[in-house]
Amino acid sequence: MPVHQKVLSTTPENRETPLADVPSWVTPNRWFFVRSHYETPEIDVASWRLSVAGCVGREMELTWEQLDSMPHRSIFVTMECAGNGRSFLKPYVEGVQWTAGAVGHAEWSGVPLHVVLDRASLAEDAKEVVFYGADSGIEHGNDAPQSFARSLPLDKARHPDTMLVTHMNGEVLEPSHGYPLRLLVPGWYGVASVKWLTRIEAVKTPFQGYYQTAKYTIQHRTGGGVRTDVVGPMPVKSEIIRPVDGSVLGIGANRLFGMAWAGEHAVAAVEVSVDGGVSWQRAELQGPRAAYSWTAWEYLWESAAPGDYTLLARAISEDGHVQPMDHDYDRGGYLINFSRPINVRLDAAKLSYDFVGDVAKLQRDMAAIAQERSHQPLDADIELMSGAGI
Ligand SMILES: Nc1nc2c(c(=O)[nH]1)N[C@H]1C(S)=C(S)[C@@H](COP(=O)(O)O)O[C@H]1N2
Ligand SMILES: [Mo]
């Protein structure tokens, strides 16, 4: 059976990971979701340069070789699109209609951004750093072509984990993921991690770009009115990967399996409800638990009573935040981290004998799946993208 990857549009490229078919801690590159606003730019690395400019003591033009000779490191980070899960919102919200798979986890390698900022001697009065991608085009509702650009506040830009990335899971970045160089902002939504970097500019005043002020912003009610916030850190979230919505299961023991993540923080716990949120039980966390990375969890659900059930999972972050039960519509089509009900039926005519796997078994299963999948063709289900393409 070929595995289907859901392609929401091809120009620009938007496709998501089939989470239920790729239940591994590291998302293989060929399955990793792609979210692009314009066509993937063709870049010749021999003539490519990274310019570092603005409020710096020393402006620089770095070649690929120069970057490659700087100190490197690697980091595991979960990346999620801020619009992930948008198709589940009711009422409908405009934009790419992602299901649950605009999220993945990879080992990223490259040069810490602060190394480059230090070499350029960032000025004392710089307030933000702006990152420009090589891609450009006309976005819905805009006449003038523009390039994709986003800024970071100085503390996040200088953070030792914020990186200029050249490799993903040990391989040179693929064109769709930002070759030859992308930014990686651990713990923040994917939009901050600008692909196809060509220019870094330190500035004294807040950047006013389209993807900074018009898109990827959310409304926030304060005592006195409404404030507009830029989409940044990822809040705590979990996903039930198995069983999938609409499954018919046997009575007996059924294993629920999923992932949970909490942006800049590690996951502290995951709770599961099999009665639509009336009562909650602790799930078992499996495998690594670390800041920036998602954590696998499982729960053995034993029930002899046939009928319809609503399953929920809610994650709790190490800094004490609990995943909400409902979407906050002030956020529009972004920051979609509510616990989403999964409806299943227990059929009296079937018996189920699942058991909770130990970590070694879980890893053997994942390796076996990876092995099997690597020989299979990748099929694409093309769906027309609806909405404004943001
Ligand atoms: N230059 C550029 N960078 C970009 C984008 C883009 O369209 N152009 N999309 C952003 C968004 S919204 C997301 S979610 C991530 C997706 O990264 P991926 O395609 O490697 O998964 O890239 C971000 N960086
Ligand atoms: Mo995104």
Side-chain angles (χ1 to χ4, degrees), residues 32-37 79 81 133 135 148 176-177 182 190-191 193-196 216:
F32 206 97
F33 82 97
V34 174
R35 198 312 173 224
S36 297
H37 294 77
M79 184 181 293
C81 180
D135 53 331
F148 188 91
S176 308
H177 292 297
R182 82 176 298 168
V191 64
S193 295
V194 177
K195 302 191 276 191
W196 310 294
Y216 294 97

Side-chain angles (χ1 to χ4, degrees), residues 238 240 270-273 280 297 311-315 323 339-340:
S238 66
I240 297 175
V270 174
E271 294 174 344
V272 169
S273 172
W280 295 86
W297 59 264
L311 314 180
L312 291 163
R314 68 177 179 205
Q323 200 181 335
S339 293
R340 181 164 43 84

Side-chain angles (χ1 to χ4, degrees), residues 139-268:
E139 188 58 80
H140 181 84
N142 272 308
D143 293 338
Q146 56 196 325
S147 53
F148 188 91
R150 284 273 302 193
S151 76
L152 282 182
L154 228 50
D155 56 342
K156 194 65 181 171
R158 302 191 82 135
H159 192 285
D161 296 334
T162 299
M163 307 232 295
L164 298 171
V165 159
T166 54
H167 287 70
M168 185 175 172
N169 292 331
E171 287 169 16
V172 172
L173 280 178
E174 286 168 20
S176 308
H177 292 297
Y179 175 83
L181 189 73
R182 82 176 298 168
L183 183 67
L184 177 75
V185 186
W188 284 38
Y189 276 116
V191 64
S193 295
V194 177
K195 302 191 276 191
W196 310 294
L197 273 183
T198 54
R199 183 177 165 82
I200 295 178
E201 190 182 345
V203 294
K204 287 182 201 160
T205 52
F207 176 59
Q208 297 295 319
Y210 180 67
Y211 295 99
Q212 192 85 21
T213 55
K215 294 295 173 181
Y216 294 97
T217 58
I218 53 172
Q219 303 300 309
H220 190 89
R221 274 169 224 254
T222 59
V226 179
R227 191 179 75 213
T228 300
D229 285 342
V230 180
V231 165
M234 289 191 281
V236 61
K237 179 169 176 178
S238 66
E239 195 61 56
I240 297 175
I241 291 176
R242 286 183 184 157
V244 297
D245 192 46
S247 299
V248 179
L249 310 172
I251 53 172
N254 287 289
R255 179 174 165 264
L256 315 188
F257 169 80
M259 292 291 184
W261 57 100
E264 293 170 335
H265 304 276
V267 169

Side-chain angles (χ1 to χ4, degrees), residues 342-363:
I342 299 293
N343 295 303
V344 298
R345 171 163 295 173
L346 290 193
D347 184 344
K350 281 169 82 175
L351 284 178
S352 179
Y353 301 104
D354 283 357
F355 53 92
V356 170
D358 54 279
V359 178
K361 179 175 184 311
L362 190 73
Q363 282 169 353

